[in-house]
Amino acid sequence: MISLRLAAIDIGSNAIRFQVTNVLSYEGQHIFKRLEYIRFPLRLGEDVFKFKKIGPEKEDKFLRLMHSFKLLLDLYEVDDHYACATSAMREAENGHKIAEKVQQLLGLKIKIISGEMEAELINRVVLKKLDPENYLHIDVGGGSTELNLISNGKKVASKSFKIGSVRSIEQIESTNILDKIDSWIGENVKDKYKTITAIGTGGNINKLHDLANKRKVDRSLSLKDVQDVQAFVEGFSLEERIYKLQLNPDRADVIIPASHIYMHVMKAAKCRKILVPDVGLKDGVMHMLYERNIKDTEVDFK
């Protein structure tokens, strides 16, 4: 039996996630067992999408958070780890400078990845669980939305768009981006597939699934389900969403704009239902690390 301890740090626009996973491999089978999970609502996009840079207060908190994660990496004695940053740090004028500072101070390397790389990492886990049919994978983050067209288990087209839940509540213009999404769907999806099913990843679609009271064994929602639960949540004030629906404050204000994006894409592509596999970037990172350490797979995400 082989035991491997891996860690992923996902630096998003709305929150930063840290996870340590123990991978047990025996006779060709492997089990991923989560040992530690932390989600910290730093919301880097709040600064970046308004001012194009990460401000001093958030930078200070970010450095202290990375220091905490570095201590946990050492305490858990992880065999391999990967820290990646997405839309907010990608667009911040000082994003690379802050990443360099973290490496100099803590010895922790942060890779600022493209939207396409983000989608590819997530697809590492999404593709493993799909039947050979046609799917449109929709990943809505705080600052960007990735669309991936999948047919017969293979990605045939993908595109990253600068629209997301945090960017929307900061009142960043989105109509033009929605038009671009419609054009991409028109070129790649419409009239090319008889049926197509959406796949939704991201914290907001997972919470919409939870609020829809769907059984955990049924990881799908119809378009009407999404519309109904969005209308239900929208009927509560921000304070009521936090206290009555028990949503985290940094989820309560972004869940409505995120649901608008999911529904817009589903309608444009004529998807009647959306699968919600409850996986994300950190899960894709874990599988990448597993392949890098166990299998003879050539992977270059350094």
Side-chain angles (χ1 to χ4, degrees):
M1 183 176 72
I2 299 175
S3 177
L4 188 66
R5 195 161 288 181
L6 307 172
I9 301 174
D10 168 13
I11 303 165
S13 301
N14 190 40
I16 299 175
R17 297 170 176 84
F18 172 88
Q19 182 168 315
V20 178
T21 297
N22 200 33
V23 184
L24 301 174
S25 299
Y26 181 70
E27 294 185 348
Q29 301 294 318
H30 59 270
I31 299 173
F32 286 69
K33 181 177 177 58
R34 188 167 75 181
L35 299 179
E36 181 72 71
Y37 176 70
I38 298 170
R39 179 186 183 275
F40 191 86
L42 186 54
R43 190 167 283 185
L44 296 175
E46 188 174 45
D47 282 3
V48 176
F49 303 141
K50 287 192 293 186
F51 309 116
K52 307 299 182 184
K53 63 186 297 183
I54 296 168
E57 183 178 343
K58 286 194 186 293
E59 179 181 345
D60 178 64
K61 286 186 177 180
F62 180 75
L63 292 173
R64 285 187 284 147
L65 185 62
M66 292 303 107
H67 186 205
S68 300
F69 290 166
K70 180 60 167 63
L71 290 174
L72 286 171
L73 291 175
D74 294 339
L75 288 169
Y76 274 106
E77 298 179 338
V78 300
D79 298 291
D80 199 3
H81 68 274
Y82 186 73
C84 57
T86 56
S87 183
M89 286 196 71
R90 193 161 60 225
E91 296 181 36
E93 293 174 355
N94 57 344
H96 286 277
K97 183 179 179 181
I98 292 174
E100 290 172 5
K101 185 182 291 188
V102 170
Q103 185 164 9
Q104 291 172 357
L105 293 175
L106 306 172
L108 177 62
K109 184 176 181 179
I110 296 172
K111 178 71 173 178
I112 299 177
I113 62 175
S114 66
E116 289 73 21
M117 180 61 73
E118 182 179 355
E120 183 174 327
L121 284 167
I122 299 171
N123 277 338
R124 284 175 173 268
V125 282
V126 170
L127 290 174
K128 291 179 181 292
K129 303 180 180 181
L130 296 182
D131 295 325
E133 297 177 6
N134 305 314
Y135 301 93
L136 181 59
H137 174 205
I138 311 165
D139 182 65
V140 178
S144 66
T145 293
E146 276 66 51
L147 300 183
N148 298 275
L149 180 60
I150 300 165
S151 183
N152 293 319
K154 295 182 179 180
K155 183 176 70 174
V156 295
S158 66
K159 184 73 173 177
S160 179
F161 297 90
K162 287 186 178 182
I163 185 171
S165 58
V166 176
R167 200 187 293 268
S168 295
I169 64 169
E170 296 300 340
Q171 300 181 341
I172 307 301
E173 181 60 44
S174 61
T175 302
N176 184 46
I177 304 298
L178 292 175
D179 289 341
K180 290 182 179 180
I181 287 176
D182 291 343
S183 295
W184 186 87
I185 290 174
E187 293 173 6
N188 294 278
V189 181
K190 276 186 178 179
D191 303 323
K192 293 187 178 181
Y193 301 94
K194 186 176 181 180
T195 60
I196 189 161
T197 299
I199 301 170
T201 54
N204 287 294
I205 194 65
N206 289 325
K207 184 54 65 176
L208 287 168
H209 179 275
D210 293 343
L211 290 170
N213 291 320
K214 302 288 287 186
R215 293 173 301 162
K216 287 189 177 182
V217 293
D218 180 7
R219 297 300 306 179
S220 68
L221 295 171
S222 67
L223 176 58
K224 186 178 184 304
D225 288 333
V226 180
Q227 291 171 325
D228 288 348
V229 73
Q230 187 221 42
F232 170 73
V233 175
E234 207 164 19
F236 293 87
S237 68
L238 184 62
E239 291 77 12
E240 288 172 333
R241 293 175 201 170
I242 295 169
Y243 291 102
K244 292 186 178 181
L245 300 183
Q246 297 185 7
L247 298 181
N248 291 331
D250 68 306
R251 180 72 64 208
D253 59 347
V254 297
I255 192 168
I256 296 300
S259 63
H260 278 301
I261 299 171
Y262 286 110
M263 289 193 298
H264 182 94
V265 176
M266 289 179 71
K267 289 176 182 177
K270 297 182 179 179
C271 300
R272 295 183 179 181
K273 71 174 182 177
I274 184 167
L275 305 180
V276 188
D278 193 20
V279 296
L281 179 57
K282 59 181 174 51
D283 303 287
V285 169
M286 287 298 178
H287 279 265
M288 179 271 287
L289 290 172
Y290 171 77
E291 292 175 355
R292 188 160 80 180
N293 285 272
I294 298 295
K295 298 182 180 180
D296 294 326
T297 304
E298 292 188 8
V299 185
D300 184 17
F301 291 114
K302 294 181 180 179

